[in-house]
Amino acid sequence: MRTGIATVCLSGTLKEKMQACAIAGFDGIEIFEQDLVTSPLSPGDVRSMAADLGLGLDLYQPFRDFDGVAPDLLKANLRRAEAKFNLMSRLGMDTILVCSNVATATIDDDAVRAEQLAQLAGLAGDHGIKVAYEALAWGKHVNDYEHAYRLVEMVDHPNLGTCLDSFHILSRDWDTAPIEKLDPEKIFFVQVADAPKLTMDVLSWSRHYRVFPGEGQFELAKFMGHVVRAGYSGPVSLEVFNDVFRQSDVDRTAVDAMRSLIWLEEQSAKWLAGSAEAAEGGSAASRRRYPMELATLPKVSEPAGFNFAEVKADDTARLEKLLGQLGFGFEGRHRTKDVQLWTMGQARVIINEQAASHAEPSIAALGFDVDSPVIASARAQQLKAPVVARKVQADEEVFQGISAPDSTEIFLCQGSPDGTAAWTREFGEGLEHRTPSGGPGAAAVIDHVNLAQPWQHFDEAVLFYTSALALEPQPFAEVPSPSGLVRSQVMTTSDAAVRLVLNLAPVQQARSEVRKTYQEHIAFAVKDLVATARAARDRGLEFLQIPANYYEDLDARFDLDPGFLATLQELNLLYDRDADGEFLHFYTATVGSVFFEMVERRGGYDGYGAPNAPVRHAVQYDSLHRT
Amino acid sequence: MRTGIATVCLSGTLKEKMQACAIAGFDGIEIFEQDLVTSPLSPGDVRSMAADLGLGLDLYQPFRDFDGVAPDLLKANLRRAEAKFNLMSRLGMDTILVCSNVATATIDDDAVRAEQLAQLAGLAGDHGIKVAYEALAWGKHVNDYEHAYRLVEMVDHPNLGTCLDSFHILSRDWDTAPIEKLDPEKIFFVQVADAPKLTMDVLSWSRHYRVFPGEGQFELAKFMGHVVRAGYSGPVSLEVFNDVFRQSDVDRTAVDAMRSLIWLEEQSAKWLAGSAEAAEGGSAASRRRYPMELATLPKVSEPAGFNFAEVKADDTARLEKLLGQLGFGFEGRHRTKDVQLWTMGQARVIINEQAASHAEPSIAALGFDVDSPVIASARAQQLKAPVVARKVQADEEVFQGISAPDSTEIFLCQGSPDGTAAWTREFGEGLEHRTPSGGPGAAAVIDHVNLAQPWQHFDEAVLFYTSALALEPQPFAEVPSPSGLVRSQVMTTSDAAVRLVLNLAPVQQARSEVRKTYQEHIAFAVKDLVATARAARDRGLEFLQIPANYYEDLDARFDLDPGFLATLQELNLLYDRDADGEFLHFYTATVGSVFFEMVERRGGYDGYGAPNAPVRHAVQYDSLHRT
């Protein structure tokens, strides 16, 4: 698949954009006209810079409001087009995007449109230019890709074809199956964009909220599958108008963009194989060849669970105290590194003392159990995840590490059927293992981890965990806090053995450094939360103090048994209930930017106590501002 | 008018919110349930704190999903309501908001709803509580205020009334005139919110985009006029869910909120007077008394023009050089202050050398010609604008100054019929006035001023200039820049003698200090821009360098005379044309955060060269990142 991206997706100058696209590994780019018009680079400069960077200049765009106009305007439009064709020849470009008219069309007649497009195609032919005509979702008269294609067929000129843009097609819910019947010779270009499903006018949706494939909710693999089956083999190019991407670091956004296409390529191949198999049976179908070759990635399967979580700090005393009070046992120090292992049942927490001085405690790394760390790491690296180097001595387990968009280190670990981890033998040689062998924590596991995300990298994080770790984004929630709404995006495996919560903090907090002002946590699940809480209280744990008003409201909502309600209040436990089950949980005080949560899931409860999140935020805010 | 605000409008804890509301001068507040539930304050604490602060606790809200439910759920709902009634008695509150059911209603039958509401009203009566039933715009079965009112009438119980919320009514385009026919005894509460007109699902619109009155596009004065005519005299209370306000400084947002109600009160009185006069003729109608008394403000009329603009810096040499090169004449120093006056025609620029050391040049103040500075200042102060103190000596003109939301100082000056300013005599005694008496700048005026706005205070700024200076917001534009989209809000007088452009910079830039990274400018209009530019070039002015690609595109778009095009390019002039006329302009290089623009308007051109703004942003970005 030939990969491309429109310069309008990115921040910066044309030069910065082109360099970022080359570094990210794109085959070609679309030149967004305004980027050229505002650039000090001459067309010749752009041409030679693209050649030096190994970037194809695949599409000049957009040319607007051409068709269905009165004769005077047609003349001016043809003049305007010729000026652009001349410019394109200096750029060494051969394809221009012409959008269906949204503003100046006064004649709604296919014959007139076809006749005018024929004139344009003729002129383009004289200049060796190909015109890709596209139906905008909000086109005044032409807003359906099949309509645009019919016009292309009516004109039947070698220099006129169509451009298919997933946003314009999927935002209008047009059926994508008929794409397969289009003549591939007449599909001059394919643009892809994803988007969250929003109920708003399609122009605003398009101009502000598009995201890269895998970051939204469109069925892009299916769209691409139909495109491939049509026989198209040209560029597949991102055109994503997004308010945040336009403000973010250009190099980083370009990599995020490239990742989305690599992932889409794999998903499209999968859709094709699955769909062929369903239709024709057997594996022969999946070996069918199409003009567009779709590269594959190292396979991924969902992680089986969390292997460990790592917290770092220069002063680890408060962390050690908290974990001890929660019921974790100290398993010893690593034989060569300044790290400690603490465990409770199958929940393993590493305390990393190697942090720079004056570093407040924060979540540094997560380990996931995967089938094959090497294959998973190879996949992540092909998806452009930065590799994390970790020093190892001979005889120590080598961790495959990659860096997530928020800089959390993700380690891909060899899972074991019994939930143990071989690397733990590197800890605490000769030390007495103090893990309580029974007690309420015996069956503890990491239930979920909640990571604060910088506002610029939220969509990137969703795609990262989707593509590299096969986690599935769940519908997001918005939680009120005293500092604003917190957007909370849960990513899980299908069996919910791994639950990761990405929290997008309000911008006010993100203005300084997210990690400092916004708190993250690790939650552990136990079988008996009340017993765990009592034991922790007896060990002197500092619980997050839940206001009395909360319990009064809880009782109004749930009509709880008075004894049970008293127990909840006595132990600062929070409670939620839905049709599937019940949820009990409590939070510790915060050290640095980290706190811990203990949870008990009863029945089929699958949530996170979302109705209680505002209470947590308010109490944390209050203690932060009191101190 | 009794003023109120729901705590959900503001950031912070319940305590912080209550304090901010008291300082801003609200009569009462609505307690948003979640703010109480998450608070460590007991109901008794809240009650006594409110009493100490002089704040009424006017409404407890919201109580959700009561009506149209199955019998089991009704029982639970009544139990839940009774718990809240008991809570309210401890809070000393007597009115609760009950919203029409959006989730759990299974029976769509007015008789059933009325019967259930009657049970609720009976229970409320036992506790001395009044229930204000409100139709939510997205209510499952009840989403129209007249429907909610019919149910109230059907029940006909002294403890059941309705709540009118401008958002729920105006977002659905319900006719507001029938409000006048409602029995005022049955209107228990009125909530007001404004909103920009957006095409999106009403729930998202409501939860994220509401703004304070005067900051959106709803006809609130008319809504309020009908409410007043109905005979209602209870609280008029803001309920504004806004993502930005929830993140901003609580004290400041509370003042912004209060300003919006003061302004709405005046606008409502005006609407009533105007509407009565139209209907009945004469002034008797406008003297009609209603139970709700509407306070008036000192009158305002539009400013007649800019009196001056002031730029400050510790090192003013570069500013002096730029102004001199543009054709401004140095009129001398102030006789007692470290400020200089420069003029070109009627355009006056003050260079303030009193700035703190290491202060980069920035726009510090704007003077506006008004009919009466004292009345205008009194008005602004009643609208809670902070007063700016400026030292004056005997015999000097006293400026009435207020501080705008972005900290620009706004001075209200005595206009004169000939456009001169009396205070200029305080400058340059004995100095030779070097203003060129003829030449292209003879008729120069300040055309517009462009101020960068911090993202948290954009809506506040719109209301400030609307209410204090009678400027009218025009439809806003979004301009692409290499750092993201810039939202540009033009505010003008009806004759366009004053044009103020508020630019909301992308958040990336706002993260450090807006003024440092984002540029502002003062634009001067002349009769002959080409001559002005030539003269400036001859004096060595550093123009903002416009890329050659721009002129090629300009020619493609406008088919310009080759000689004219060459002149534009030679002088780095930008050009725009629309149906009304033409616009020529150029920009200077930037010093500190300030640059200047010279413009020529031909014919009836009323814009600002918006199509050229991306070029300016790109070139400025490029020079900022090159240096």
Side-chain angles (χ1 to χ4, degrees), chain B residues 557-570:
Chain B
R557 288 192 287 135
F558 291 123
D559 196 7
L560 298 172
D561 169 78
F564 180 60
L565 185 69
T567 299
L568 295 178
Q569 184 159 6
E570 175 202 345

Side-chain angles (χ1 to χ4, degrees), chain A residues 68 168 186 310 320 339 356 363 384 487 533 552 573 620:
Chain A
H168 293 295
K186 294 210 179 297
E310 179 177 315
E320 294 166 30
V339 300
I363 297 177
K384 310 230 165 235
R487 182 173 166 144
E552 182 170 349
L573 306 188
Q620 288 177 335

Side-chain angles (χ1 to χ4, degrees), chain A residues 84 90 247 508 552-553, chain B residues 84 90 508 552-553:
Chain A
K84 297 303 174 186
R90 279 176 288 142
Q247 297 178 48
Q508 187 191 41
E552 182 170 349
D553 181 63
Chain B
K84 298 301 172 186
R90 277 176 286 144
Q508 187 191 41
E552 183 171 346
D553 181 62

Side-chain angles (χ1 to χ4, degrees), chain A residues 159-467:
Chain A
N159 290 75
L160 183 70
T162 195
C163 171
L164 301 175
D165 179 313
S166 66
F167 183 88
H168 293 295
I169 295 170
L170 299 172
S171 65
R172 296 290 303 262
D173 279 327
W174 302 130
D175 181 11
T176 50
I179 290 174
E180 293 190 17
K181 293 182 223 133
L182 308 188
D183 176 359
E185 296 295 312
K186 294 210 179 297
I187 307 176
F188 283 2
F189 209 80
V190 170
Q191 294 175 318
V192 286
D194 203 344
K197 292 221 166 165
L198 299 174
T199 309
M200 66 191 320
D201 71 284
V202 69
L203 179 59
S204 304
W205 188 18
S206 170
R207 290 284 166 81
H208 300 284
Y209 298 100
R210 290 186 185 202
V211 284
F212 296 126
E215 297 171 356
Q217 294 168 272
F218 283 164
E219 289 188 89
L220 287 177
K222 181 179 169 198
F223 167 82
M224 277 305 301
H226 293 309
V227 167
V228 171
R229 280 216 200 115
Y232 175 79
S233 61
V236 177
S237 184
L238 298 160
E239 191 193 30
V240 171
F241 303 88
N242 180 290
D243 288 358
V244 173
F245 298 163
R246 288 177 103 138
Q247 297 178 48
S248 336
D249 178 75
V250 59
D251 294 314
R252 194 158 164 171
T253 308
V255 168
D256 179 29
M258 189 66 207
R259 178 179 300 142
S260 79
L261 278 188
I262 295 168
W263 177 81
L264 178 60
E265 194 168 358
E266 177 194 50
Q267 297 300 309
S268 305
K270 275 191 188 169
W271 185 89
L272 278 168
S275 146
E277 210 160 318
E280 306 171 32
S283 59
S286 62
R287 288 199 302 272
R288 171 171 305 198
R289 301 298 287 245
Y290 299 101
M292 188 190 293
E293 288 193 37
L294 296 173
T296 54
L297 286 174
K299 288 218 168 85
V300 65
S301 43
E302 300 180 332
F306 285 100
N307 190 287
F308 68 91
E310 179 177 315
V311 185
K312 71 174 173 200
D314 67 333
D315 177 1
T316 59
R318 285 177 301 164
L319 285 171
E320 294 166 30
K321 187 175 162 194
L322 267 189
L323 288 175
Q325 289 167 333
L326 281 171
F328 274 73
F330 174 57
E331 301 286 337
R333 298 182 172 277
H334 191 269
R335 58 193 184 200
T336 62
K337 297 176 197 151
D338 287 337
V339 300
Q340 309 171 20
L341 174 62
W342 290 71
T343 67
M344 185 179 191
Q346 302 284 13
R348 289 176 283 273
V349 175
I350 291 173
I351 299 183
N352 185 336
E353 305 162 87
Q354 298 170 309
S357 56
H358 305 303
E360 283 286 310
S362 65
I363 297 177
L366 298 175
F368 292 97
D369 282 336
V370 298
D371 287 346
S372 162
V374 170
I375 294 175
S377 174
R379 177 184 176 86
Q381 290 179 52
Q382 289 207 28
L383 284 161
K384 310 230 165 235
V387 173
V388 171
R390 182 157 278 211
K391 276 190 212 145
V392 285
Q393 308 283 334
D395 192 34
E396 287 178 9
E397 187 163 332
V398 179
F399 278 7
Q400 301 286 342
I402 51 176
S403 177
D406 69 349
S407 303
T408 303
E409 297 179 353
I410 301 296
F411 289 100
L412 305 157
C413 309
Q414 185 65 60
S416 69
D418 61 354
T420 58
W423 55 266
T424 57
R425 66 166 184 266
E426 297 166 19
F427 284 77
E429 280 173 303
L431 270 183
E432 182 194 357
H433 282 216
R434 288 186 294 162
T435 316
S437 55
V445 295
I446 295 179
D447 182 84
H448 63 278
V449 175
N450 184 311
L451 297 175
Q453 302 295 307
W455 64 273
Q456 315 97 309
H457 304 305
F458 189 75
D459 293 309
E460 182 187 347
V462 169
L463 176 61
F464 172 84
Y465 290 108
T466 303
S467 61

Side-chain angles (χ1 to χ4, degrees), chain B residues 476-511:
Chain B
F476 74 87
E478 284 176 323
V479 176
S481 86
S483 312
L485 292 178
V486 178
R487 182 172 166 145
S488 184
Q489 173 69 64
V490 174
M491 312 276 309
T492 65
T493 53
S494 56
D495 63 356
V498 169
R499 301 166 181 267
L500 194 62
V501 185
L502 307 178
N503 271 10
L504 179 64
V507 170
Q508 187 191 41
Q509 302 191 309
R511 283 173 73 190

